[in-house]
mmCIF file with all atom_site columns, all heavy atoms in Angstrom:
data_model
loop_
_atom_site.group_PDB
_atom_site.id
_atom_site.type_symbol
_atom_site.label_atom_id
_atom_site.label_alt_id
_atom_site.label_comp_id
_atom_site.label_asym_id
_atom_site.label_entity_id
_atom_site.label_seq_id
_atom_site.pdbx_PDB_ins_code
_atom_site.Cartn_x
_atom_site.Cartn_y
_atom_site.Cartn_z
_atom_site.occupancy
_atom_site.B_iso_or_equiv
_atom_site.pdbx_formal_charge
_atom_site.auth_seq_id
_atom_site.auth_comp_id
_atom_site.auth_asym_id
_atom_site.auth_atom_id
_atom_site.pdbx_PDB_model_num
ATOM 1  N N   . ILE A 1 79 ? -10.877 -13.825 10.477 1.00 92.00 ? 79 ILE A N   1
ATOM 2  C CA  . ILE A 1 79 ? -12.198 -13.460 9.966  1.00 92.00 ? 79 ILE A CA  1
ATOM 3  C C   . ILE A 1 79 ? -12.147 -13.143 8.504  1.00 92.00 ? 79 ILE A C   1
ATOM 4  O O   . ILE A 1 79 ? -13.066 -13.530 7.729  1.00 92.00 ? 79 ILE A O   1
ATOM 5  C CB  . ILE A 1 79 ? -12.741 -12.280 10.776 1.00 92.00 ? 79 ILE A CB  1
ATOM 6  C CG1 . ILE A 1 79 ? -13.186 -12.762 12.149 1.00 92.00 ? 79 ILE A CG1 1
ATOM 7  C CG2 . ILE A 1 79 ? -13.957 -11.633 10.081 1.00 92.00 ? 79 ILE A CG2 1
ATOM 8  C CD1 . ILE A 1 79 ? -13.553 -11.644 13.142 1.00 92.00 ? 79 ILE A CD1 1
ATOM 9  N N   . GLY A 1 80 ? -11.101 -12.489 8.043  1.00 90.00 ? 80 GLY A N   1
ATOM 10 C CA  . GLY A 1 80 ? -10.955 -12.250 6.614  1.00 90.00 ? 80 GLY A CA  1
ATOM 11 C C   . GLY A 1 80 ? -10.945 -13.495 5.771  1.00 90.00 ? 80 GLY A C   1
ATOM 12 O O   . GLY A 1 80 ? -11.640 -13.613 4.745  1.00 90.00 ? 80 GLY A O   1
ATOM 13 N N   . GLY A 1 81 ? -10.169 -14.486 6.246  1.00 90.00 ? 81 GLY A N   1
ATOM 14 C CA  . GLY A 1 81 ? -10.146 -15.753 5.518  1.00 90.00 ? 81 GLY A CA  1
ATOM 15 C C   . GLY A 1 81 ? -11.464 -16.453 5.539  1.00 90.00 ? 81 GLY A C   1
ATOM 16 O O   . GLY A 1 81 ? -11.893 -17.029 4.532  1.00 90.00 ? 81 GLY A O   1
ATOM 17 N N   . LEU A 1 82 ? -12.153 -16.383 6.727  1.00 92.00 ? 82 LEU A N   1
ATOM 18 C CA  . LEU A 1 82 ? -13.453 -17.066 6.822  1.00 92.00 ? 82 LEU A CA  1
ATOM 19 C C   . LEU A 1 82 ? -14.483 -16.425 5.959  1.00 92.00 ? 82 LEU A C   1
ATOM 20 O O   . LEU A 1 82 ? -15.342 -17.159 5.373  1.00 92.00 ? 82 LEU A O   1
ATOM 21 C CB  . LEU A 1 82 ? -13.922 -17.054 8.285  1.00 92.00 ? 82 LEU A CB  1
ATOM 22 C CG  . LEU A 1 82 ? -13.217 -18.065 9.193  1.00 92.00 ? 82 LEU A CG  1
ATOM 23 C CD1 . LEU A 1 82 ? -13.726 -17.945 10.591 1.00 92.00 ? 82 LEU A CD1 1
ATOM 24 C CD2 . LEU A 1 82 ? -13.482 -19.487 8.649  1.00 92.00 ? 82 LEU A CD2 1
ATOM 25 N N   . VAL A 1 83 ? -14.464 -15.106 5.823  1.00 91.00 ? 83 VAL A N   1
ATOM 26 C CA  . VAL A 1 83 ? -15.462 -14.410 4.940  1.00 91.00 ? 83 VAL A CA  1
ATOM 27 C C   . VAL A 1 83 ? -15.243 -14.788 3.492  1.00 91.00 ? 83 VAL A C   1
ATOM 28 O O   . VAL A 1 83 ? -16.164 -15.074 2.726  1.00 91.00 ? 83 VAL A O   1
ATOM 29 C CB  . VAL A 1 83 ? -15.358 -12.885 5.147  1.00 91.00 ? 83 VAL A CB  1
ATOM 30 C CG1 . VAL A 1 83 ? -16.109 -12.158 4.069  1.00 91.00 ? 83 VAL A CG1 1
ATOM 31 C CG2 . VAL A 1 83 ? -15.955 -12.497 6.468  1.00 91.00 ? 83 VAL A CG2 1
ATOM 32 N N   . PHE A 1 84 ? -13.964 -14.904 3.098  1.00 90.00 ? 84 PHE A N   1
ATOM 33 C CA  . PHE A 1 84 ? -13.643 -15.375 1.729  1.00 90.00 ? 84 PHE A CA  1
ATOM 34 C C   . PHE A 1 84 ? -14.221 -16.747 1.507  1.00 90.00 ? 84 PHE A C   1
ATOM 35 O O   . PHE A 1 84 ? -14.852 -16.997 0.485  1.00 90.00 ? 84 PHE A O   1
ATOM 36 C CB  . PHE A 1 84 ? -12.122 -15.362 1.533  1.00 90.00 ? 84 PHE A CB  1
ATOM 37 C CG  . PHE A 1 84 ? -11.693 -15.565 0.110  1.00 90.00 ? 84 PHE A CG  1
ATOM 38 C CD1 . PHE A 1 84 ? -11.494 -14.509 -0.716 1.00 90.00 ? 84 PHE A CD1 1
ATOM 39 C CD2 . PHE A 1 84 ? -11.490 -16.836 -0.345 1.00 90.00 ? 84 PHE A CD2 1
ATOM 40 C CE1 . PHE A 1 84 ? -11.095 -14.713 -2.045 1.00 90.00 ? 84 PHE A CE1 1
ATOM 41 C CE2 . PHE A 1 84 ? -11.111 -17.030 -1.673 1.00 90.00 ? 84 PHE A CE2 1
ATOM 42 C CZ  . PHE A 1 84 ? -10.929 -15.991 -2.477 1.00 90.00 ? 84 PHE A CZ  1
ATOM 43 N N   . LEU A 1 85 ? -13.981 -17.657 2.466  1.00 89.00 ? 85 LEU A N   1
ATOM 44 C CA  . LEU A 1 85 ? -14.491 -19.019 2.304  1.00 89.00 ? 85 LEU A CA  1
ATOM 45 C C   . LEU A 1 85 ? -16.017 -19.017 2.279  1.00 89.00 ? 85 LEU A C   1
ATOM 46 O O   . LEU A 1 85 ? -16.647 -19.798 1.530  1.00 89.00 ? 85 LEU A O   1
ATOM 47 C CB  . LEU A 1 85 ? -13.948 -19.852 3.451  1.00 89.00 ? 85 LEU A CB  1
ATOM 48 C CG  . LEU A 1 85 ? -14.171 -21.341 3.325  1.00 89.00 ? 85 LEU A CG  1
ATOM 49 C CD1 . LEU A 1 85 ? -13.463 -21.845 2.075  1.00 89.00 ? 85 LEU A CD1 1
ATOM 50 C CD2 . LEU A 1 85 ? -13.666 -22.064 4.534  1.00 89.00 ? 85 LEU A CD2 1
ATOM 51 N N   . ALA A 1 86 ? -16.619 -18.160 3.137  1.00 88.00 ? 86 ALA A N   1
ATOM 52 C CA  . ALA A 1 86 ? -18.121 -18.125 3.164  1.00 88.00 ? 86 ALA A CA  1
ATOM 53 C C   . ALA A 1 86 ? -18.683 -17.657 1.833  1.00 88.00 ? 86 ALA A C   1
ATOM 54 O O   . ALA A 1 86 ? -19.721 -18.200 1.379  1.00 88.00 ? 86 ALA A O   1
ATOM 55 C CB  . ALA A 1 86 ? -18.563 -17.183 4.309  1.00 88.00 ? 86 ALA A CB  1
ATOM 56 N N   . MET A 1 87 ? -18.020 -16.669 1.207  1.00 86.00 ? 87 MET A N   1
ATOM 57 C CA  . MET A 1 87 ? -18.488 -16.252 -0.104 1.00 86.00 ? 87 MET A CA  1
ATOM 58 C C   . MET A 1 87 ? -18.318 -17.390 -1.123 1.00 86.00 ? 87 MET A C   1
ATOM 59 O O   . MET A 1 87 ? -19.149 -17.547 -2.033 1.00 86.00 ? 87 MET A O   1
ATOM 60 C CB  . MET A 1 87 ? -17.654 -15.040 -0.566 1.00 86.00 ? 87 MET A CB  1
ATOM 61 C CG  . MET A 1 87 ? -18.037 -13.757 0.143  1.00 86.00 ? 87 MET A CG  1
ATOM 62 S SD  . MET A 1 87 ? -19.740 -13.346 -0.030 1.00 86.00 ? 87 MET A SD  1
ATOM 63 C CE  . MET A 1 87 ? -20.242 -13.359 1.670  1.00 86.00 ? 87 MET A CE  1
ATOM 64 N N   . GLY A 1 88 ? -17.282 -18.182 -1.013 1.00 83.00 ? 88 GLY A N   1
ATOM 65 C CA  . GLY A 1 88 ? -17.147 -19.287 -1.903 1.00 83.00 ? 88 GLY A CA  1
ATOM 66 C C   . GLY A 1 88 ? -18.244 -20.350 -1.667 1.00 83.00 ? 88 GLY A C   1
ATOM 67 O O   . GLY A 1 88 ? -18.703 -21.022 -2.572 1.00 83.00 ? 88 GLY A O   1
ATOM 68 N N   . MET A 1 89 ? -18.634 -20.515 -0.392 1.00 85.00 ? 89 MET A N   1
ATOM 69 C CA  . MET A 1 89 ? -19.631 -21.526 -0.046 1.00 85.00 ? 89 MET A CA  1
ATOM 70 C C   . MET A 1 89 ? -21.061 -21.054 -0.345 1.00 85.00 ? 89 MET A C   1
ATOM 71 O O   . MET A 1 89 ? -22.000 -21.827 -0.179 1.00 85.00 ? 89 MET A O   1
ATOM 72 C CB  . MET A 1 89 ? -19.529 -21.918 1.409  1.00 85.00 ? 89 MET A CB  1
ATOM 73 C CG  . MET A 1 89 ? -18.227 -22.494 1.824  1.00 85.00 ? 89 MET A CG  1
ATOM 74 S SD  . MET A 1 89 ? -17.970 -24.125 1.253  1.00 85.00 ? 89 MET A SD  1
ATOM 75 C CE  . MET A 1 89 ? -18.808 -25.030 2.546  1.00 85.00 ? 89 MET A CE  1
ATOM 76 N N   . LEU A 1 90 ? -21.243 -19.753 -0.728 1.00 83.00 ? 90 LEU A N   1
ATOM 77 C CA  . LEU A 1 90 ? -22.566 -19.175 -0.772 1.00 83.00 ? 90 LEU A CA  1
ATOM 78 C C   . LEU A 1 90 ? -23.484 -19.881 -1.781 1.00 83.00 ? 90 LEU A C   1
ATOM 79 O O   . LEU A 1 90 ? -24.665 -20.102 -1.556 1.00 83.00 ? 90 LEU A O   1
ATOM 80 C CB  . LEU A 1 90 ? -22.479 -17.701 -1.046 1.00 83.00 ? 90 LEU A CB  1
ATOM 81 C CG  . LEU A 1 90 ? -23.592 -16.797 -0.532 1.00 83.00 ? 90 LEU A CG  1
ATOM 82 C CD1 . LEU A 1 90 ? -23.686 -16.965 0.974  1.00 83.00 ? 90 LEU A CD1 1
ATOM 83 C CD2 . LEU A 1 90 ? -23.302 -15.367 -0.842 1.00 83.00 ? 90 LEU A CD2 1
ATOM 84 N N   . GLY A 1 91 ? -22.896 -20.212 -2.928 1.00 78.00 ? 91 GLY A N   1
ATOM 85 C CA  . GLY A 1 91 ? -23.641 -20.867 -3.968 1.00 78.00 ? 91 GLY A CA  1
ATOM 86 C C   . GLY A 1 91 ? -23.361 -22.368 -4.015 1.00 78.00 ? 91 GLY A C   1
ATOM 87 O O   . GLY A 1 91 ? -23.298 -22.947 -5.085 1.00 78.00 ? 91 GLY A O   1
#
Side-chain angles (χ1 to χ4, degrees):
Chain A
I79 285 171
L82 282 178
V83 167
F84 190 91
L85 191 61
M87 286 302 120
M89 299 288 273
L90 208 57

